[in-house]
Amino acid sequence: MSSPAPARGQQATIDPETQQRVEQFLYREADLLDTFALEEWLDLIDEDIVLSVPVRVARDPGAEESEFSPDANYLREDYEMIRERVGRLNKEYAWSENPRSRVRHVIGNVRVTAVDGDELTVRNNQHVFRSYGDTPDHDLISAQRETVLRDERGDREGRASDGEGPSGASEGDREFTILDRTVYLDHSILNTKNLTLPLL
């Protein structure tokens, strides 16, 4: 995404069914991340994805500069880098997840802010709780996510009309594919031992 900060006040007009499908997709994705089903999560993302977590910068009130750095990122990764991370996290000796975190996403305020053909730009707020080991210590990461989704329903219906398959969605069909994502953290100082994929 080109914008260094989430746009404010934007809202696209969509039908209730699409809104529900988007929400259910994000809830399913959150469950995959919470349960470290990362290979399944990887199937949801496009090979041209860029996943960015820009650094938040404290600015004076009224400053024209964005609250988010255009150059500094906690993470900025393409598909191959994400795939390598997933491979490492699935190994028993992954140091960043030893012991494995207990993660819980709370997703809210889901809204579609733009529609361009079969692509939807979606914003959601989220809190991600994380605890690990047998200590009372825990992390709480607050953020707003901006995600570009490609609606796969039209592609399935197009194939069905060409006689290539049924129009009804099967269990293996994807509702959406994640094309791009930026996570705008509410923290200017991130108080967590590391920023691992399931926290995003």
Side-chain angles (χ1 to χ4, degrees):
M1 297 177 185
S2 58
S3 174
R8 300 180 184 275
Q10 295 182 352
Q11 187 80 26
T13 301
I14 59 169
D15 59 88
E17 180 186 5
T18 300
Q19 175 71 26
Q20 182 182 41
R21 289 174 57 228
V22 167
E23 291 177 1
Q24 291 301 315
F25 176 82
L26 294 180
Y27 298 155
R28 177 184 172 232
E29 183 202 4
D31 188 59
L32 293 177
L33 293 171
D34 289 347
T35 57
F36 280 76
L38 298 179
E39 291 290 348
E40 292 181 59
W41 174 76
L42 196 62
D43 288 340
L44 302 180
I45 68 176
D46 188 78
E47 292 189 1
D48 291 326
I49 190 173
V50 175
L51 173 61
S52 302
V53 187
V55 173
R56 191 179 193 110
V57 181
R59 304 286 191 195
D60 293 330
E64 295 183 0
E65 296 92 346
S66 168
E67 293 180 276
F68 296 92
S69 170
D71 304 311
N73 295 273
Y74 290 109
L75 286 175
R76 184 173 176 83
E77 303 198 340
D78 60 18
Y79 180 84
E80 287 304 317
M81 297 167 72
I82 294 170
R83 188 173 62 83
E84 289 179 9
R85 276 184 179 268
V86 168
R88 290 198 299 269
L89 287 170
N90 281 336
K91 298 182 185 301
E92 290 185 6
Y93 53 81
W95 67 267
S96 64
E97 282 299 330
N98 187 12
R100 173 148 291 183
S101 301
R102 295 178 291 276
V103 177
R104 188 73 60 210
H105 283 73
V106 179
I107 304 288
N109 203 15
V110 177
R111 59 260 190 232
V112 178
T113 59
V115 178
D116 183 7
D118 62 355
E119 295 183 7
L120 291 77
T121 301
V122 180
R123 286 177 19 204
N124 73 270
N125 298 342
Q126 64 183 35
H127 284 170
V128 183
F129 175 88
R130 176 203 212 183
S131 65
Y132 33 82
D134 56 0
T135 73
D137 298 332
H138 65 273
D139 302 331
L140 182 62
I141 300 173
S142 176
Q144 181 178 100
R145 267 190 333 199
E146 190 166 76
T147 305
V148 178
L149 299 176
R150 181 174 61 235
D151 191 341
E152 302 293 354
R153 174 175 287 188
D155 187 49
R156 288 200 304 269
E157 291 176 349
R159 292 197 306 269
S161 66
D162 292 336
E164 297 182 19
S167 59
S170 68
E171 188 172 311
D173 285 327
R174 284 184 295 184
E175 285 289 306
F176 298 96
T177 299
I178 301 171
L179 302 182
D180 199 291
R181 171 167 286 165
T182 304
V183 181
Y184 297 102
L185 298 170
D186 291 323
H187 312 264
S188 57
I189 298 176
L190 194 56
N191 186 24
T192 184
K193 67 174 185 177
N194 54 51
L195 198 60
T196 187
L197 285 176
L199 301 180
L200 305 177

